[in-house]
Amino acid sequence: MKIPSLITLAIIVSILFYSCSKSSPATNTNSNNNNNNNNNGNTNVTRDTLLGSVSAYIDDTLVQFDAEAFASANFLSNGNTVSIEAVQSTAPYSEISFTLSTAGPIDSGTYSVSSTPAGYLNFTYVTPQYGTSTLGSYTNLDNNSASITINSIVNTTDTIARGSFTGSVVTDASATPVSHTITNGKFNVRVTF
């Protein structure tokens, strides 16, 4: 009679031990999720990556261009161009656009100012100038740090452009240019031809 009682007790202890060990990882998972939400100090900001979205960290602050976002593409016999444009829906109503032109096809891959000698990569960021309400236009024309990664849109059968971008832009009409740093840019937009 003692042996069955010991076996029953061992089974109960095993079940309790197993249940306790399963609850610990769930607690750790929640803790990890909270830590992930605290990245970049944006605890209440969820980045939009749905279709029709363009976003980037500009000077380490997440900016979502969510009022309007789209791409247009031209596939010609002497070269191809894709332009992506987006507008912010809240003040200061900033805008961003980037255009990639190549002499050949636009294949999936990463393009930079220095890696596209037969074409060009141009970023434009329009936002109020530092400390004023006057809009300033910032471009990367004299800055080789810009790059764009295209994950789709390689021919006229594609209807969506997805990818990422990064770079620095500067005012081009000033003796002492002001710059903005763009990092971790993402786009997911419909394409018109």
Side-chain angles (χ1 to χ4, degrees), residues 44-80:
N44 296 324
V45 177
T46 301
R47 184 173 189 162
D48 187 3
T49 55
L50 298 174
L51 183 61
S53 66
V54 175
S55 61
Y57 284 87
I58 299 179
D59 301 328
D60 296 324
T61 299
L62 178 63
V63 178
Q64 300 192 111
F65 300 92
D66 49 3
E68 185 176 21
F70 61 92
S72 57
N74 291 310
F75 293 97
L76 308 170
S77 60
N78 60 347
N80 301 302

Side-chain angles (χ1 to χ4, degrees), residues 100-118:
L100 171 66
S101 291
T102 64
I106 298 176
D107 294 320
S108 294
T110 299
Y111 297 85
S112 67
V113 174
S114 60
S115 70
T116 55

